[in-house]
Amino acid sequence: MSAEEPVIKSFLDTDLYKLTMQSAIHNCFPDAEVSFDYHNRTPEKKLTVEAIDWLKKQIKLLGDLRFAEDEIEFLKQEVPFLPQQYFKWLETFKLHPDKEVIIDDDPDHFDLRVKGAWDQVTLYEIPLLALVSEAYFRFIVNKWTNEGQFEKAKGKSIRLCNNSCAFSEFGTRRRRSFETQKIMMEGLMAGAKESNKPGMFLGTSNVYFAKIYKLKPMGTIAHEWMMGIAAITQDYNNANKRAMDCWLETVGNTHAGLALTDTFGTDVFLRSFYPPYSDYYAGVRQDSGDPLKFIEKIGHHYIDVLKLPKFSKSICFSDSLNVDRCIQYKARADEVGMNCSFGIGTNLTNDFADSTPMNIVMKIDSANGHPAVKISDNLGKNTGDPAEVRRVKKVLGYEEKYWAGGDEEHRWG
């Protein structure tokens, strides 16, 4: 591939929740201004001048993207409950990376920042992360091939299916390359077809691959939604409730999907998670802290507190998963009485024996001039201005938590 040929060829080469969130932002906060900041939790993995030059050209090419008519039609087909005016707005949507992306191109202090209208710049997160990862594995750690990736993905798919672990592919942001993800997707489909329980492979968060492979695009919402709303309103005690209200206003009560509990700690979230919200949402997503303790906590809330029947609600696990962990969490969820599914990311799209992935994130860090923070269910996943994190913890009465499995710097070895 030449430097001028784009890796990101479609706006759909992103996670579904970026598009569903974009529609909610456009609907509820059309005038909000935000910034995003890049974090490399594996700082020993640095880009070179050559890699950064390639990356800058790829970022510039994002300005050439447009939503094609068939892509908008696919979204209308898969998420028809989004506001119709959102689909109309997408017809002329474009990014302006020359104005919206700020790059520090010093290899020792490499950084990315994004600034602009929230409903505009929210779409940068996934492609920027995917491009940084691809730059690293194209120019720095580049003595690898995709040989064996199909078979590895197929084997994982068969094992997950045969252990009744319903799963989706969530790995775009830290994939080794676009081609790696493509091969891996084909392996997952082959494994699901060959397994005894082919219905266990639910789909992918990547809308582009869902479209070309006729799979279900999966996903609901990310921490960004709650973080941005809390920063804009400066009302952390009611931020989760306000976020749910705006979400339901956008998508409707029957399409609420999964609630993300841990932006400011699951204990804080559960203070608001009562009817009608607990009825509208099909379940919750677990993304930080000890998953086994989370199963106990959520099972208690649904079954003991809300008096809902066992197996009437679901947990989707999405934090640093591999096949063994999925099987373990499935067994415990069965014991407690919770349905469960798994969104598996980096372990699928960047699992190579001789080198580990970058652990990179891009988080909203301000909204309408106020710092945006995430506290989560694990100290290691706190993000944002440290003083604001401390202030918000005090406001919410947050109880500090630490889970050894949440060590971000050594997550994949």
Side-chain angles (χ1 to χ4, degrees), residues 326-367:
C326 293
I327 295 171
Q328 179 190 14
Y329 304 159
K330 171 71 165 65
R332 187 62 189 129
D334 285 347
E335 292 171 355
V336 169
M338 296 294 301
N339 297 318
C340 68
S341 62
F342 304 90
I344 310 173
T346 308
N347 182 255
L348 293 178
T349 58
N350 206 331
D351 182 17
F352 287 73
D354 57 351
S355 54
T356 57
M358 298 184 82
N359 190 347
I360 50 178
V361 295
M362 196 150 198
K363 295 292 184 184
I364 185 172
D365 73 343
S366 75

Coordinates of all heavy atoms in Angstrom, one line a residue, residues 326-367:
C326 N -14.0 -15.8 29.1 CA -15.4 -15.9 28.7 C -16.0 -17.1 29.3 O -17.1 -17.1 29.9 CB -15.5 -15.9 27.2 SG -15.0 -14.4 26.4
I327 N -15.4 -18.3 29.2 CA -15.9 -19.5 29.7 C -16.1 -19.4 31.3 O -17.1 -19.9 31.8 CB -15.0 -20.7 29.4 CG1 -15.0 -20.9 27.8 CG2 -15.5 -22.0 30.1 CD1 -14.0 -21.9 27.3
Q328 N -15.1 -18.8 32.0 CA -15.2 -18.7 33.4 C -16.4 -17.8 33.8 O -17.2 -18.1 34.7 CB -13.9 -18.1 33.9 CG -13.9 -17.8 35.4 CD -12.7 -17.0 35.9 OE1 -12.0 -16.4 35.1 NE2 -12.5 -17.0 37.2
Y329 N -16.5 -16.6 33.1 CA -17.6 -15.7 33.5 C -19.0 -16.3 33.1 O -19.9 -16.0 33.8 CB -17.4 -14.4 32.8 CG -16.0 -13.7 33.1 CD1 -15.5 -12.7 32.2 CD2 -15.2 -14.1 34.2 CE1 -14.3 -12.2 32.4 CE2 -14.0 -13.5 34.4 CZ -13.5 -12.5 33.5 OH -12.3 -11.9 33.7
K330 N -19.0 -17.0 32.0 CA -20.3 -17.6 31.6 C -20.8 -18.6 32.7 O -22.0 -18.6 33.1 CB -20.1 -18.4 30.3 CG -21.3 -19.2 29.9 CD -22.5 -18.4 29.4 CE -23.5 -19.3 28.7 NZ -24.2 -20.3 29.5
A331 N -19.9 -19.4 33.2 CA -20.2 -20.4 34.3 C -20.8 -19.7 35.5 O -21.8 -20.1 36.1 CB -19.0 -21.2 34.6
R332 N -20.1 -18.6 35.9 CA -20.6 -17.9 37.1 C -21.9 -17.2 36.9 O -22.8 -17.2 37.7 CB -19.5 -16.9 37.6 CG -19.9 -16.2 38.9 CD -20.0 -17.3 40.0 NE -20.5 -16.7 41.3 CZ -21.5 -17.3 42.0 NH1 -22.1 -18.4 41.5 NH2 -21.9 -16.7 43.1
A333 N -22.1 -16.6 35.7 CA -23.4 -15.9 35.4 C -24.5 -16.9 35.4 O -25.6 -16.6 35.8 CB -23.2 -15.2 34.0
D334 N -24.3 -18.1 34.9 CA -25.3 -19.2 34.9 C -25.7 -19.5 36.3 O -26.9 -19.7 36.6 CB -24.7 -20.4 34.2 CG -24.7 -20.3 32.7 OD1 -25.3 -19.4 32.1 OD2 -24.1 -21.2 32.1
E335 N -24.7 -19.5 37.2 CA -25.0 -19.9 38.6 C -25.8 -18.8 39.3 O -26.7 -19.1 40.1 CB -23.7 -20.0 39.4 CG -22.9 -21.3 39.0 CD -21.5 -21.3 39.6 OE1 -21.1 -20.3 40.3 OE2 -20.8 -22.3 39.4
V336 N -25.6 -17.5 38.9 CA -26.3 -16.4 39.6 C -27.7 -16.2 39.0 O -28.6 -15.7 39.6 CB -25.4 -15.1 39.4 CG1 -26.2 -13.9 39.8 CG2 -24.2 -15.3 40.3
G337 N -27.8 -16.6 37.7 CA -29.1 -16.4 37.0 C -29.1 -15.2 36.1 O -30.2 -14.6 35.8
M338 N -28.0 -14.9 35.4 CA -27.9 -13.8 34.5 C -27.5 -14.4 33.1 O -26.6 -15.2 33.0 CB -26.8 -12.8 34.9 CG -27.1 -12.1 36.2 SD -28.6 -11.0 36.1 CE -28.1 -9.9 34.7
N339 N -28.2 -14.0 32.0 CA -27.8 -14.2 30.7 C -26.5 -13.4 30.5 O -26.2 -12.4 31.1 CB -28.8 -13.8 29.7 CG -30.1 -14.5 29.8 OD1 -30.1 -15.8 29.9 ND2 -31.2 -13.9 29.6
C340 N -25.6 -13.9 29.6 CA -24.4 -13.1 29.3 C -24.0 -13.3 27.9 O -24.3 -14.2 27.2 CB -23.3 -13.5 30.3 SG -22.6 -15.1 30.0
S341 N -23.2 -12.3 27.4 CA -22.5 -12.3 26.1 C -21.2 -11.6 26.3 O -20.9 -11.0 27.3 CB -23.4 -11.6 25.1 OG -23.6 -10.2 25.4
F342 N -20.4 -11.6 25.2 CA -19.0 -11.2 25.3 C -18.7 -10.3 24.1 O -18.9 -10.8 22.9 CB -18.1 -12.3 25.5 CG -18.4 -13.2 26.6 CD1 -19.3 -14.3 26.5 CD2 -17.9 -12.9 27.9 CE1 -19.6 -15.1 27.6 CE2 -18.2 -13.7 29.0 CZ -19.1 -14.8 28.8
G343 N -18.1 -9.2 24.3 CA -17.5 -8.4 23.2 C -16.0 -8.5 23.3 O -15.4 -7.8 24.2
I344 N -15.4 -9.2 22.4 CA -14.0 -9.6 22.5 C -13.3 -8.7 21.5 O -13.6 -8.7 20.3 CB -13.7 -11.1 22.2 CG1 -14.7 -11.9 23.1 CG2 -12.3 -11.4 22.5 CD1 -14.6 -13.4 22.8
G345 N -12.3 -8.0 21.9 CA -11.6 -7.1 21.0 C -10.2 -7.4 20.7 O -9.9 -8.2 19.8
T346 N -9.2 -6.9 21.5 CA -7.8 -7.0 21.1 C -7.3 -8.4 21.0 O -6.4 -8.8 20.2 CB -7.0 -6.2 22.1 OG1 -7.5 -4.9 22.2 CG2 -5.5 -6.1 21.7
N347 N -7.9 -9.3 21.8 CA -7.4 -10.7 21.8 C -7.8 -11.4 20.5 O -7.2 -12.4 20.1 CB -8.1 -11.5 23.0 CG -7.7 -13.0 23.0 OD1 -8.4 -13.9 22.6 ND2 -6.4 -13.2 23.4
L348 N -8.7 -10.8 19.7 CA -9.0 -11.3 18.4 C -8.2 -10.6 17.3 O -7.7 -11.3 16.4 CB -10.5 -11.2 18.1 CG -11.4 -12.0 19.0 CD1 -12.9 -11.7 18.6 CD2 -11.2 -13.5 18.8
T349 N -8.1 -9.3 17.3 CA -7.5 -8.5 16.2 C -6.0 -8.3 16.4 O -5.4 -7.7 15.4 CB -8.3 -7.2 16.0 OG1 -8.2 -6.5 17.2 CG2 -9.7 -7.4 15.6
N350 N -5.4 -8.6 17.5 CA -4.0 -8.3 17.7 C -3.4 -9.3 18.6 O -2.7 -9.0 19.6 CB -3.8 -6.9 18.2 CG -2.4 -6.3 17.8 OD1 -1.5 -7.1 17.6 ND2 -2.3 -5.0 17.7
D351 N -3.6 -10.6 18.3 CA -3.0 -11.7 19.1 C -2.0 -12.4 18.3 O -2.2 -13.3 17.5 CB -4.2 -12.7 19.4 CG -3.7 -13.8 20.3 OD1 -2.6 -13.7 20.9 OD2 -4.4 -14.9 20.4
F352 N -0.7 -12.0 18.6 CA 0.4 -12.6 17.9 C 1.4 -13.1 18.9 O 1.7 -12.4 19.9 CB 1.1 -11.5 17.0 CG 0.3 -11.2 15.7 CD1 -0.8 -10.4 15.8 CD2 0.7 -11.6 14.5 CE1 -1.6 -10.1 14.7 CE2 0.0 -11.3 13.3 CZ -1.2 -10.6 13.5
A353 N 2.1 -14.2 18.6 CA 2.9 -14.8 19.6 C 4.2 -14.0 20.0 O 4.7 -14.1 21.1 CB 3.3 -16.2 19.1
D354 N 4.7 -13.3 19.0 CA 6.0 -12.7 19.2 C 6.0 -11.2 19.5 O 7.0 -10.6 19.8 CB 6.8 -12.8 17.9 CG 6.1 -12.2 16.7 OD1 5.0 -11.8 16.8 OD2 6.8 -12.1 15.6
S355 N 4.8 -10.6 19.7 CA 4.7 -9.2 20.0 C 3.3 -8.9 20.6 O 2.3 -9.4 20.1 CB 5.0 -8.3 18.8 OG 4.2 -8.6 17.7
T356 N 3.3 -7.9 21.5 CA 2.0 -7.6 22.2 C 1.5 -6.3 21.6 O 2.2 -5.5 21.0 CB 2.3 -7.4 23.7 OG1 3.3 -6.4 23.9 CG2 2.7 -8.7 24.3
P357 N 0.2 -6.1 21.7 CA -0.5 -4.9 21.2 C 0.0 -3.6 21.9 O 0.5 -3.6 23.1 CB -2.0 -5.1 21.4 CG -2.1 -6.6 21.8 CD -0.8 -7.0 22.4
M358 N -0.3 -2.5 21.3 CA -0.2 -1.2 22.0 C -1.5 -1.1 22.8 O -2.6 -1.6 22.4 CB -0.2 0.0 21.0 CG 1.0 0.1 20.1 SD 0.9 1.6 19.0 CE 1.6 2.8 20.2
N359 N -1.4 -0.5 24.0 CA -2.6 -0.2 24.8 C -2.9 1.3 24.7 O -2.3 2.1 25.4 CB -2.4 -0.7 26.2 CG -3.7 -0.6 27.0 OD1 -4.7 0.0 26.5 ND2 -3.7 -1.2 28.2
I360 N -3.7 1.6 23.7 CA -3.9 3.0 23.4 C -5.4 3.3 23.5 O -6.3 2.5 23.2 CB -3.4 3.4 22.0 CG1 -3.9 2.4 21.0 CG2 -1.9 3.5 22.0 CD1 -3.5 2.8 19.6
V361 N -5.7 4.5 24.0 CA -7.1 5.0 24.1 C -7.2 6.4 23.7 O -6.2 7.2 23.6 CB -7.7 4.9 25.5 CG1 -7.8 3.4 25.9 CG2 -6.9 5.7 26.5
M362 N -8.4 6.9 23.3 CA -8.6 8.3 23.0 C -9.9 8.7 23.7 O -11.0 8.1 23.4 CB -8.7 8.5 21.5 CG -8.6 10.0 21.2 SD -7.9 10.2 19.5 CE -7.4 11.9 19.7
K363 N -9.8 9.5 24.7 CA -10.9 9.8 25.6 C -11.3 11.3 25.5 O -10.5 12.2 25.4 CB -10.6 9.5 27.1 CG -10.4 8.0 27.3 CD -11.6 7.2 27.2 CE -11.4 5.8 27.6 NZ -12.7 5.0 27.3
I364 N -12.6 11.6 25.6 CA -13.1 12.9 25.7 C -12.5 13.5 27.0 O -12.5 12.9 28.0 CB -14.6 13.0 25.7 CG1 -15.1 14.4 25.7 CG2 -15.2 12.2 26.8 CD1 -16.6 14.5 25.5
D365 N -11.9 14.7 26.9 CA -11.3 15.3 28.1 C -11.8 16.6 28.5 O -11.5 17.2 29.5 CB -9.8 15.3 28.0 CG -9.2 16.3 27.1 OD1 -9.9 16.8 26.3 OD2 -8.0 16.6 27.2
S366 N -12.7 17.2 27.6 CA -13.4 18.4 28.0 C -14.7 18.5 27.2 O -14.8 18.0 26.1 CB -12.5 19.7 27.8 OG -12.4 20.0 26.4
A367 N -15.7 19.2 27.8 CA -16.9 19.5 27.1 C -17.4 20.9 27.5 O -17.5 21.1 28.7 CB -18.0 18.4 27.4

